[in-house]
């Protein structure tokens, strides 16, 4: 790797090796360098005593847009052959919008299908409105929670 290469940053987190393998296969095919960190046995630093089980794929920051474009293209190709019993077809409009808001938790195929289903159902949404909802959700999760004195165990 060249000295000018960017730092590897977290791109996606997965809970299982099969889903991880799908992304690493695409990265291999596209000759994009990546790192895999399996943190299934590590403790989450933000929640004492809580074990985070997952696999993180890291890619160089200058490859984020390239990888997004590759995954979006693959998702668009897969949309044509997706089975009608795929679980997202049973999602409500609110659940499909939730997929778009929490896009980091979903595959590019799931995101593309959610967008397609919402358009077919006549639900209007814009990138701006999704970003606003995402920011509102992030703010809600970033607020510290309070514990009443009666619930505190010493």
């Amino acid at each position: 790797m060249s000295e000018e290469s960017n730092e590897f940053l977290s791109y996606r987190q997965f809970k299982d090796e099969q889903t991880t393998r799908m992304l690493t296969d695409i990265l291999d095919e596209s000759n994009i360098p990546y790192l895999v960190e399996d943190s299934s046995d590590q403790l989450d630093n933000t929640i004492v005593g809580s074990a985070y089980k997952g696999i993180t794929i890291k890619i160089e920051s200058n490859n984020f847009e390239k990888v997004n474009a590759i995954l979006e293209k693959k998702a668009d190709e897969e949309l044509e052959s997706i089975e009608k019993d795929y679980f997202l077809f049973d999602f409500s409009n609110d659940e499909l919008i939730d997929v778009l808001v929490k896009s980091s938790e979903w595959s590019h195929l799931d995101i593309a299908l959610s967008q397609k289903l919402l358009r077919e159902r006549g639900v209007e949404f814009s990138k701006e409105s999704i970003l606003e909802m995402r920011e509102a959700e992030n703010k809600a999760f970033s607020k510290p929670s309070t514990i009443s004195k009666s619930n505190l165990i010493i």
Side-chain angles (χ1 to χ4, degrees), residues 30-119:
S30 304
N31 294 317
I32 296 175
Y34 61 89
L35 300 173
V36 177
E37 289 184 359
D38 186 350
S39 56
S40 14
D41 295 329
Q42 296 177 0
L43 289 180
D44 185 326
N45 292 330
T46 59
I47 305 172
V48 177
S50 173
Y52 169 76
K53 303 222 183 282
I55 303 165
T56 302
I57 301 294
K58 292 185 172 189
I59 61 173
E60 292 176 306
S61 58
N62 62 337
N63 282 329
F64 272 57
E65 286 183 34
K66 181 179 180 180
V67 172
N68 284 339
I70 291 167
L71 293 176
E72 286 170 16
K73 182 180 179 200
K74 281 204 168 291
D76 288 342
E77 292 168 0
E78 291 177 26
L79 277 180
E80 302 306 317
S81 62
I82 198 159
E83 299 292 328
K84 295 297 179 194
D85 63 348
Y86 193 71
F87 70 99
L88 285 179
F89 284 100
D90 295 328
F91 273 34
S92 69
N93 293 344
D94 287 340
E95 290 171 319
L96 293 172
I97 289 171
D98 199 44
V99 171
L100 302 180
V101 172
K102 297 176 182 176
S103 59
S104 64
E105 299 174 13
W106 295 89
S107 72
H108 276 74
L109 175 62
D110 293 337
I111 295 164
L113 181 58
S114 295
Q115 291 171 338
K116 179 182 178 188
L117 291 172
L118 286 167
R119 279 192 297 272

